[in-house]
Amino acid sequence: MTQVRSSRQVPRWHDLEPFLHPRPVERTAVGRRLARCLSVDDVERLARRRVPGAVWDYVEGGSDGEHAMRRNRDAFDRVELRPTSFEQVAEPDTATTLLGRPTAAPIVLAPTGYTRLSHHTGERAVAAAAAQAGLPYTLSTYATTSITDVASAAPGARNWFQVYLMKDRAVTRAHLDEARAQGYEALMLTIDTTMTGMKRKDKHNGFAIPPQLTARTVGGMARHPRWVADILTTEPLRFATFPEGSTYARWGMSNELREQQIRPADIAWLREQWDGPVVVKGVQSARDAVTAVDAGAHAIVLSNHGGRQLDRAPVPLELLPDVVDAVDGRAEVLLDSGVRTGGDVVAAVALGATAVLVGRAYLYGLMVGGQRGVSHVLDLLTGEMRRAMSMMGAPSVAALTPDHARLRDR
């Protein structure tokens, strides 16, 4: 058999030149950390090491046995995306319209309480990252940055304000007045928290705002001196949408002071107080979706609060097709609970959602790198969206239909 031999030569510069393009050197520690994160799962693994255990458990944990939280993720794991291979597109467009205004992608940053626990820059950093990405950000009633300060941190942003109705409606009216004065676009009324779900991990940790100094929390903080230094050398942790010293700003008072009998008439009341869109979050059945729309909601959010309220609650993704049919185009249908990839976003939109809300995912980014970390997570989600849409043959968000996704039995 003839042996094949290759000839050898001394390499010349133009032969070597294609190999001599090293990656740009990232000069910051944050940049180096984020450069290793190719998915939200990667960001999550790094985030866990950046904050004390009690803070991590608060962000990551669900209620009671955490069945609802696990089922949320399981539903997305069962999604099958269905490509049209002969119609693949090179540059799909992730832009869409939400509440009558353009947005860069069908993604809303969800309201999260106590955000400065994740990183001292807190809500300011999240709002700024959302504005940079061209996405709406929703500030929580239990934010650790004021309505006005968030607006100042992200001028021109699409800021929404999440409303927990208080028994004393004057307190809620004050929130609405400040949000209106600061140019907030929409209200988001949360209806699934008339009382707070049991977070066993938080109880074991003695979780509170500000953090309580128990042996367990001191031990956790001692392993994160940078986090402690950042918290101690910046503005005090408090519920900043309420006046300083207000009873409403005290930890543990929410169940006593918050309205615990929300009715459709409360949606109508908000419509009277607010001249912009009203979104109702926490809808968990087709019947309640229709009731909310009949009462005046411009949009609803299918949500079980990320598995943090009623354990074993319905899974929003599984409810989505029936709710879309029941609402019949009279209001936009958004979805949260379990979203952590661009493929999840594509699946939800294909199955009928106008947009999704993300919460834990951007908090992971905040823990790892402040505003830059949040931006990195948003870039990951939109990049994953574009790749999925390209391979599925969907040139735009509007082109996504139920033919592009289905929930497998297993």
Side-chain angles (χ1 to χ4, degrees):
M1 179 180 294
T2 302
Q3 294 282 335
V4 176
R5 298 181 183 275
S6 60
S7 60
R8 294 182 180 273
Q9 63 183 18
V10 177
R12 293 162 293 183
W13 170 252
H14 74 268
D15 297 320
L16 295 174
E17 195 270 339
F19 298 96
L20 301 178
H21 290 286
R23 292 181 182 178
V25 176
E26 175 54 60
R27 298 183 182 277
T28 67
V30 168
R32 290 192 293 273
R33 286 196 296 267
L34 292 171
R36 301 195 300 269
C37 295
L38 305 182
S39 67
V40 170
D41 288 346
D42 289 341
V43 181
E44 178 188 4
R45 282 189 285 271
L46 278 184
R48 186 166 195 159
R49 303 201 294 265
R50 306 297 301 174
V51 296
V55 173
W56 178 257
D57 285 345
Y58 166 71
V59 170
E60 183 63 12
S63 62
D64 295 301
E66 299 185 339
H67 297 87
M69 186 175 73
R70 289 191 297 271
R71 289 172 181 173
N72 290 338
R73 191 57 240 162
D74 176 69
F76 279 106
D77 287 343
R78 291 190 291 112
V79 166
E80 178 180 271
L81 297 179
R82 315 187 82 179
T84 306
S85 298
F86 292 118
E87 297 178 10
Q88 292 187 14
V89 292
E91 295 293 335
D93 184 4
T94 63
T96 187
T97 301
L98 185 58
L99 296 182
R101 293 182 57 184
T103 184
I107 298 172
V108 178
L109 280 72
T112 59
Y114 330 134
T115 305
R116 287 188 58 234
L117 282 173
S118 294
H119 191 273
H120 64 282
T121 56
E123 291 89 353
R124 291 181 182 88
V126 180
Q132 187 177 40
L135 303 174
Y137 167 59
T138 316
L139 182 69
S140 170
T141 292
Y142 291 115
T144 45
T145 307
S146 73
I147 295 169
T148 296
D149 287 346
V150 165
S152 298
R158 291 190 68 182
N159 289 326
W160 300 359
F161 182 67
Q162 178 268 333
V163 178
Y164 283 123
L165 282 180
M166 300 299 163
K167 292 176 182 177
D168 182 353
R169 291 294 194 269
V171 176
T172 298
R173 278 194 291 267
H175 281 148
L176 304 190
D177 289 345
E178 186 176 359
R180 182 183 299 108
Q182 295 302 323
Y184 281 62
E185 171 189 328
L187 297 181
M188 182 179 289
L189 172 65
T190 299
I191 64 172
D192 65 343
T193 51
T194 50
M195 71 173 297
T196 303
M198 166 63 81
K199 319 291 195 311
R200 295 176 188 171
K201 292 173 182 174
D202 291 351
K203 290 292 185 181
H204 287 310
N205 290 326
F207 179 83
I209 301 286
Q212 303 300 300
L213 298 180
T214 66
R216 188 166 185 160
T217 56
V218 167
M221 289 189 288
R223 291 189 288 273
H224 297 86
R226 176 62 183 271
W227 181 91
V228 174
D230 287 339
I231 291 296
L232 293 180
T233 58
T234 54
E235 61 193 281
L237 274 174
R238 68 182 189 90
F239 300 141
T241 68
F242 301 100
E244 193 165 0
S246 164
T247 302
Y248 288 83
R250 295 179 189 169
W251 174 257
M253 295 297 291
S254 58
N255 280 345
E256 295 180 37
L257 300 172
R258 196 166 57 216
E259 179 60 72
Q260 294 181 301
Q261 290 187 326
I262 293 178
R263 299 290 185 263
D266 295 314
I267 300 172
W269 180 82
L270 277 180
R271 285 288 306 267
E272 294 171 0
Q273 307 298 314
W274 183 259
D275 55 6
V278 173
V279 182
V280 176
K281 178 177 179 286
V283 173
Q284 298 179 63
S285 70
R287 182 181 64 182
D288 284 354
V290 171
T291 299
V293 175
D294 287 345
H298 296 86
I300 60 164
V301 183
L302 289 177
S303 170
N304 61 26
H305 220 94
R308 299 169 68 85
Q309 282 295 107
L310 175 65
D311 202 8
R312 303 178 188 271
V315 174
L317 187 65
E318 295 175 348
L319 290 175
L320 179 59
D322 288 343
V323 170
V324 170
D325 286 346
V327 170
D328 195 24
R330 294 193 297 141
E332 295 180 2
V333 178
L334 287 70
L335 175 146
D336 81 359
S337 303
V339 178
R340 59 187 294 148
T341 73
D344 296 341
V345 181
V346 167
V349 173
L351 293 172
T354 305
V356 304
L357 276 65
V358 296
R360 287 185 179 96
Y362 78 70
L363 289 178
Y364 300 151
L366 187 66
M367 292 174 186
V368 172
Q371 179 182 337
R372 188 170 177 182
V374 177
S375 293
H376 187 74
V377 166
L378 299 178
D379 287 345
L380 288 173
L381 294 175
T382 53
E384 289 167 347
M385 274 193 70
R386 281 191 291 271
R387 287 196 299 276
M389 291 169 64
S390 176
M391 289 185 278
M392 291 166 64
S396 66
V397 169
L400 291 167
T401 72
D403 290 337
H404 287 109
R406 74 181 180 101
L407 279 174
R408 297 170 59 92
D409 293 334
R410 265 295 160 198

